[in-house]
Amino acid sequence: MSIAENIARVRQQIDRAARRVTRNPDQITLMAVTKTVPPERIREAYAAGIRWFGENRVPEFAAKVDAIDRSDARWHMIGHLQSNKARRAVDLFDAVDSVDSLPLARKLNLRAAERQKKMPVLIEINIAQEASKSGLGPDSSAFEDLLTAAPELASLDFQGLMTVPPYSENPENSRPYFRKMHELFDAIRHRRLASVAMNVLSMGMSHDFEVALEEGATLVRLGTAIFGERPPVRSNR
Ligand SMILES: *Cc1c(COP(=O)(O)O)cnc(C)c1O
């Protein structure tokens, strides 16, 4: 299957999943995740209409960014970001969807201010509180502290939440986590916190995005379903 065919297929799947729960498919964002994907295949996805892209690692994106025509595409950092790469991330990316600590948020804010940029961000939640994953615990004081500090972080634009639930072959196993994320998202929105908007709920990957959409995701992040299987990873950083 070509990349264009894969994209057409996932758009149909998104459409059907949205309609099952009477949501408007036009309000759902499809992000293509391009880790390990070379620029020529990224260009194919762009030609097939993709405008939202996600990358996991700053050095990998830095190495291929010059071969990519940015034009009207949006590039989001979606992997764990070390504070010492905050400046590079602010320079390279249009948004950081994986803000997982207040110190990182402060660093990004400082670097964005230096560049006179307002950086859109999502807060990453470790919804199952897995030791192996980054992200803030949904009930943690660190999460609360970050929400409270948002008004001081004037160069960041807090737009919502992101999560990666525990992997399971069966996408139904992700459903309780997606549901919990949606509840958290709604609860925070209802608090109407200063400088914290809750418009984006980024959850769902190739194997479980239909369930994520049924449970309220506004943005799904698809790699394998668009570009095919990735080579095995050597390291997760
Ligand atoms: C790799 C990755 C994805 C996409 O994963 P697929 O299973 O290939 O769709 C989505 N989100 C994050 C944070 C990722 O690291």
Side-chain angles (χ1 to χ4, degrees), residues 75-169:
W75 282 87
H76 290 225
M77 172 64 182
I78 61 168
H80 175 69
L81 181 59
Q82 290 159 303
S83 290
N84 63 1
K85 296 206 176 82
R87 177 181 309 174
R88 200 84 180 95
V90 164
D91 286 343
L92 284 173
F93 289 97
D94 301 301
V96 176
D97 292 359
S98 46
V99 171
D100 56 9
S101 74
L102 180 52
L104 173 62
R106 287 198 196 285
K107 217 29 159 318
L108 284 169
N109 182 63
L110 190 72
R111 299 312 182 197
E114 283 169 7
R115 296 291 194 252
Q116 297 182 357
K117 242 179 152 175
K118 181 113 173 173
M119 200 72 179
V121 296
L122 302 181
I123 300 173
E124 183 175 0
I125 300 295
N126 185 352
I127 193 63
Q129 309 197 51
E130 294 168 278
S132 61
K133 279 206 182 117
S134 45
L136 295 166
D139 306 311
S140 65
S141 55
F143 178 37
E144 199 55 42
D145 291 347
L146 178 54
L147 292 172
T148 308
E152 300 158 38
L153 306 170
S155 295
L156 302 184
D157 178 12
F158 287 85
Q159 299 189 335
L161 305 178
M162 184 271 224
T163 200
V164 182
Y167 179 82
S168 163
E169 296 263 309

Side-chain angles (χ1 to χ4, degrees), residues 1-231:
M1 287 272 252
S2 73
I3 288 171
E5 285 168 328
N6 287 339
I7 290 168
R9 188 189 62 247
V10 299
R11 285 208 192 278
Q12 272 181 9
Q13 290 171 306
I14 289 170
D15 240 68
R16 281 200 294 267
R19 289 181 203 288
R20 276 200 293 281
V21 289
T22 65
R23 298 183 57 200
N24 180 355
D26 297 340
Q27 286 170 5
I28 287 153
T29 305
L30 169 57
M31 175 183 281
V33 176
T34 57
K35 59 180 177 238
T36 77
V37 177
E40 61 273 15
R41 290 169 61 76
I42 295 172
R43 284 195 285 272
E44 277 183 62
Y46 181 89
I50 298 285
R51 292 296 178 270
W52 294 64
F53 293 91
E55 272 281 340
N56 290 63
R57 297 172 67 250
V58 172
E60 180 183 340
F61 187 54
K64 60 193 183 190
V65 69
D66 288 341
I68 298 165
D69 174 11
R70 304 282 291 253
S71 50
D72 58 343
R74 301 178 48 84
W75 282 87
H76 290 225
M77 172 64 182
I78 61 168
H80 175 69
L81 181 59
Q82 290 159 303
S83 290
N84 63 1
K85 296 206 176 82
R87 177 181 309 174
R88 200 84 180 95
V90 164
D91 286 343
L92 284 173
F93 289 97
D94 301 301
V96 176
D97 292 359
S98 46
V99 171
D100 56 9
S101 74
L102 180 52
L104 173 62
R106 287 198 196 285
K107 217 29 159 318
L108 284 169
N109 182 63
L110 190 72
R111 299 312 182 197
E114 283 169 7
R115 296 291 194 252
Q116 297 182 357
K117 242 179 152 175
K118 181 113 173 173
M119 200 72 179
V121 296
L122 302 181
I123 300 173
E124 183 175 0
I125 300 295
N126 185 352
I127 193 63
Q129 309 197 51
E130 294 168 278
S132 61
K133 279 206 182 117
S134 45
L136 295 166
D139 306 311
S140 65
S141 55
F143 178 37
E144 199 55 42
D145 291 347
L146 178 54
L147 292 172
T148 308
E152 300 158 38
L153 306 170
S155 295
L156 302 184
D157 178 12
F158 287 85
Q159 299 189 335
L161 305 178
M162 184 271 224
T163 200
V164 182
Y167 179 82
S168 163
E169 296 263 309
N170 180 358
E172 283 301 324
N173 291 334
S174 300
R175 191 182 295 278
Y177 297 111
F178 291 147
R179 193 166 288 175
K180 217 176 144 194
M181 279 299 294
H182 195 193
E183 285 165 9
L184 182 67
F185 181 76
D186 280 344
I188 295 167
R189 195 178 38 218
H190 290 141
R191 285 167 63 188
R192 298 177 172 280
L193 296 166
S195 308
V196 179
M198 281 289 134
N199 299 319
V200 181
L201 182 53
S202 171
M203 58 185 192
M205 308 184 3
S206 293
H207 66 290
D208 60 9
F209 69 95
E210 291 165 275
V211 175
L213 289 170
E214 289 170 3
E215 297 299 334
T218 69
L219 185 154
V220 293
R221 308 179 308 266
L222 308 187
T224 313
I226 292 176
F227 299 106
E229 291 292 333
R230 284 182 293 274

